[in-house]
């Protein structure tokens, strides 16, 4: 009969009675060496306790919420030579490029479009519908390649959602929030500031000046390139014609080729009252009022970013999220430091909870919840609805051009960004997830270059994502959730920022850098960072995936000291077994 072995908590330094926050195994599970058994959390960081060898789990002696110390029994295990094979069936592990590059999408033709035979006001070699980040990039690149370009934009200024009511203004307000919180955090170190006086009007004007500098710059770039800008809302009349309507009237543009860059809109919830106190993400940037209380509906990136802003400005913030986790789809170990910090600051975080009714009253908005731990109805000064975005494909009469659009408003495209109509391209949010400005930029360049006759395809191995919360959360490539679900044979290197001199000097040691490696090729397939400036650090890891780097490539690259960028090298060294800044027992 096989021998039963006890697996206990190893040396965890000076920490005792630490919390078990996750149990990764159940009785009967087959595990391999280095598989995580439990996750424990000290005052400084969360860490996984790995399996010392392969085997089959017998009795699990701990549960979430238990406290353990060095020597505490985790589980009993029957060693098995074949456990690795039982637990991880042989799979063909895709290369990083196959995991991360966009799939070839098959498009189906729409109904044959009619022809337009009316008068045409403007003839254009290439028309770009939408002047957001992707649209103006496509227009400028095409102009640089010698094409006659018309750029159609419904907003008074170029830049679309990102520059006007998205990426840029939100980051300005997040910077203001960061300054407030850093000043407050210095109290315990002998530098004390008074309570800040918030002038929402002045803050809004500063934010608008930043936006104005960028949009004015785009106007100048368009003129320098002789890009024709037409203001108004554009809709297709035929496969070669677009009607643009504005307050001044309407114009018809005839084109040889077109790039659709019409973006997306804020999604909303059905049944909400028509009340100015209910905001979408664009409204929330205006700081029309700083209410006493704010409920953010949606625990995704946009909702949590604006929650950080309003919290720092003195508003009592609550968050409600339909799923059981904040930022659904992001690895839990990356979200955990953020959730721990905001749970201590916000009034309430309700996960697995649905908003079933909102009633407008003079005193506020009364919200009714439903869920296992739903509270009684509560009154809030304002609501921010941040439940995602919907593509605009159904709002541009694409069927009149013969362009196929699915029920979600998404236009399928191939790797050259062509729709099912060969001379019409689509880029950005309107072609689907991930709806990110930096993805749209690269897609715009591909579409413009193909339209100009060049051989190009969109072939990104990885597209990074960033939540500019406090702390920031950034990730790229394969997530650990995906790796486990897909049966990928992977390993990981983790470096907790509690061991980083730079993070300690910032008084922000809750962060972590984690890199996933393909155990077959040794190459980086994914990475995640949580902590201040995580969004800046993720670029190096994106480049590592693009270049097919392995742990040695990163670890042997000399990083400046003391910096947060060192944590990238140290995470690689942790996987490679060469890390000296922490003691990690050799793998058996």
């Amino acid at each position: 009969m096989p021998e039963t072995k006890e697996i206990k908590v190893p040396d965890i330094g000076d920490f005792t009675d630490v919390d078990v926050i996750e149990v990764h195994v159940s009785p009967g599970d087959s595990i391999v060496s280095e598989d995580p058994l439990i996750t424990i959390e000290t005052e400084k960081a969360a860490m996984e306790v790995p399996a010392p060898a392969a085997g089959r789990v017998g009795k699990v002696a701990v549960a979430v919420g238990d406290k353990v110390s060095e020597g505490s029994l985790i589980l009993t295990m029957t060693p098995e030579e074949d456990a690795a094979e039982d637990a991880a069936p042989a799979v063909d592990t895709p290369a990083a490029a196959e995991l991360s590059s966009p799939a070839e999408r098959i498009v189906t033709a729409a109904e044959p479009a009619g022809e337009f035979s009316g008068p045409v006001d403007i003839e254009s070699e290439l028309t770009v519908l939408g002047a957001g980040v992707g649209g103006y990039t496509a227009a400028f690149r095409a102009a640089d390649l010698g094409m006659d370009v018309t750029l159609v934009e419904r907003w008074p200024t170029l830049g679309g959602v990102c520059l006007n009511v998205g990426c840029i203004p939100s980051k300005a307000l997040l910077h203001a929030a960061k300054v407030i919180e850093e000043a407050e955090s210095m109290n315990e170190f002998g530098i004390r500031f008074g309570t800040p006086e918030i002038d929402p009007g002045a803050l809004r004007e500063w934010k608008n000046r930043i936006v104005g500098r960028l949009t004015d710059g785009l106007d100048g770039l368009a003129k320098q390139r002789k890009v024709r800008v037409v203001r108004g809302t554009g809709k297709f009349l035929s496969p070669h014609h677009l009607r643009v309507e504005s307050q001044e009237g309407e114009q018809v543009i005839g084109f040889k080729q077109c790039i659709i860059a019409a973006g997306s809109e804020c999604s909303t919830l059905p049944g909400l009252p028509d009340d100015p106190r209910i905001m979408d993400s664009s409204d929330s940037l205006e700081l029309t009022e700083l209410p006493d209380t704010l409920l953010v509906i949606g625990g995704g990136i946009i909702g949590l970013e604006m929650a950080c802003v309003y919290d720092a400005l003195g508003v009592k913030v609550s968050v409600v999220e339909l799923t059981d986790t904040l930022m659904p789809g992001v690895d839990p170990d990356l979200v955990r430091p953020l959730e721990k910090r905001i749970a201590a600051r916000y009034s309430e975080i309700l996960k697995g909870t649905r908003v079933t009714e909102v009633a407008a009253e003079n005193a506020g908005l009364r919200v009714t919840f439903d869920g296992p731990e739903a509270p009684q109805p509560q009154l809030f000064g304002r609501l921010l609805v941040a439940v995602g975005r919907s593509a605009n494909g159904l709002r541009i009469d694409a069927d009149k051009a013969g362009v196929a659009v699915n029920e979600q408003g998404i236009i399928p495209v191939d790797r050259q960004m062509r729709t099912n109509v060969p001379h019409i391209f689509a880029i950005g949010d309107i072609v689907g997830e991930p709806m990110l400005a930096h993805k749209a930029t690269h897609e715009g360049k591909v579409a413009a270059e193909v339209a100009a006759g060049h051989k190009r395809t969109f072939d990104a191995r990885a597209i990074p994502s960033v939540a500019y919360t406090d702390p920031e959360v950034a990730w790229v490539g394969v997530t650990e959730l995906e790796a486990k679900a897909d049966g990928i044979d992977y390993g990981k290197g983790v470096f907790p920022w509690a061991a980083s001199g730079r993070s300690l000097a910032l008084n922000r040691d809750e962060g972590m850098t984690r890199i996933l490696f393909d155990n077959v090729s040794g190459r980086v397939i994914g990475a995640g960072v949580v902590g201040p400036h995580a969004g800046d650090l993720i670029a190096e890891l994106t480049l590592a995936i693009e270049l097919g780097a392995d742990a040695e490539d990163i670890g042997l690259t000399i990083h400046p000291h003391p910096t947060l960028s060192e944590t990238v090298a140290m995470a690689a060294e942790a996987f490679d077994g060469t890390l000296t800044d922490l003691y990690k027992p050799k793998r058996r």
Side-chain angles (χ1 to χ4, degrees), residues 144-379:
D144 290 345
L145 293 171
M147 300 188 77
D148 171 59
V149 181
T150 299
L151 181 59
V152 178
E153 175 53 49
R154 58 179 172 154
W155 288 71
T157 54
L158 303 183
V161 169
C162 179
L163 263 67
N164 289 280
V165 291
C167 317
I168 302 305
S170 65
K171 302 313 166 283
L173 296 180
L174 282 162
H175 173 67
K178 181 73 172 173
V179 170
I180 293 170
E181 291 175 0
E182 285 190 341
E184 179 184 302
S185 71
M186 293 305 294
N187 284 347
E188 62 179 303
F189 306 118
I191 301 177
R192 297 178 180 87
F193 300 90
T195 302
E197 295 181 8
I198 309 298
D199 183 342
L203 190 56
R204 180 169 56 251
E205 288 175 9
W206 169 70
K207 177 260 298 181
N208 290 342
R209 285 198 300 272
I210 294 170
V211 171
R213 287 183 63 179
L214 292 171
T215 55
D216 289 348
L218 290 180
D219 286 338
L221 291 173
K223 290 176 182 176
Q224 289 172 329
R225 289 178 163 88
K226 296 180 172 56
V227 171
R228 184 185 302 108
V229 177
V230 177
R231 310 282 179 181
T233 301
K235 293 186 179 182
F236 285 97
L237 292 171
S238 79
H240 287 279
H241 296 89
L242 198 72
R243 175 188 285 123
V244 181
E245 297 179 341
S246 68
Q247 291 182 345
E248 285 73 35
E250 69 175 47
Q251 300 180 75
V252 174
I253 301 173
F255 57 82
K256 293 180 181 179
Q257 299 185 86
C258 181
I259 298 174
I260 303 171
S264 62
E265 301 287 338
C266 295
S267 299
T268 187
L269 294 175
L272 293 178
D274 183 10
D275 192 294
R277 295 171 295 183
I278 299 177
M279 308 180 291
D280 61 21
S281 58
S282 300
D283 300 327
S284 69
L285 295 167
E286 290 306 302
L287 303 179
T288 305
E289 175 196 14
L290 294 180
D292 291 335
T293 56
L294 170 70
L295 175 65
V296 178
I297 303 176
I301 293 175
I302 296 174
L304 292 178
E305 285 183 355
M306 292 312 301
C308 286
V309 170
Y310 276 80
D311 168 64
L313 296 177
V315 177
K316 295 178 181 177
V317 174
S318 298
V319 177
V320 58
E321 165 58 37
L322 180 61
T323 69
D324 292 329
T325 179
L326 298 180
M327 288 201 285
V330 183
D331 286 332
D333 58 340
L334 297 179
V335 180
R336 192 177 296 119
L338 168 65
E339 185 171 352
K340 183 177 180 180
R341 186 171 192 272
I342 63 178
R345 295 181 63 93
Y346 296 180
S347 298
E348 207 165 16
I349 298 177
L350 304 169
K351 296 182 292 184
T353 303
R354 180 191 303 272
V355 171
T356 58
E357 184 182 3
V358 177
E361 302 178 3
N362 290 335
L365 298 160
R366 190 167 298 280
V367 181
T368 304
F369 304 94
D370 179 59
E373 299 181 7
Q376 293 298 309
Q378 296 182 21
L379 199 66

Side-chain angles (χ1 to χ4, degrees), residues 5-8 31-35 37 49-54 75 77 586-588:
K5 183 177 181 180
E6 291 187 341
I7 307 300
K8 299 180 179 181
I31 55 176
V32 298
S33 178
E34 300 296 320
D35 271 358
L37 302 178
V49 177
L75 53 81
M77 181 183 79
K586 292 182 179 179
R587 300 180 187 177
R588 293 181 175 84

Side-chain angles (χ1 to χ4, degrees), residues 39 43 81 167-168 191 227 328 376 440 450 468 482 514 552 555:
T39 300
E43 293 179 356
E81 291 183 1
C167 317
I168 302 305
I191 301 177
V227 171
Q376 293 298 309
V450 174
Y468 295 91
E482 291 169 341
R514 188 248 287 139
E552 276 196 345

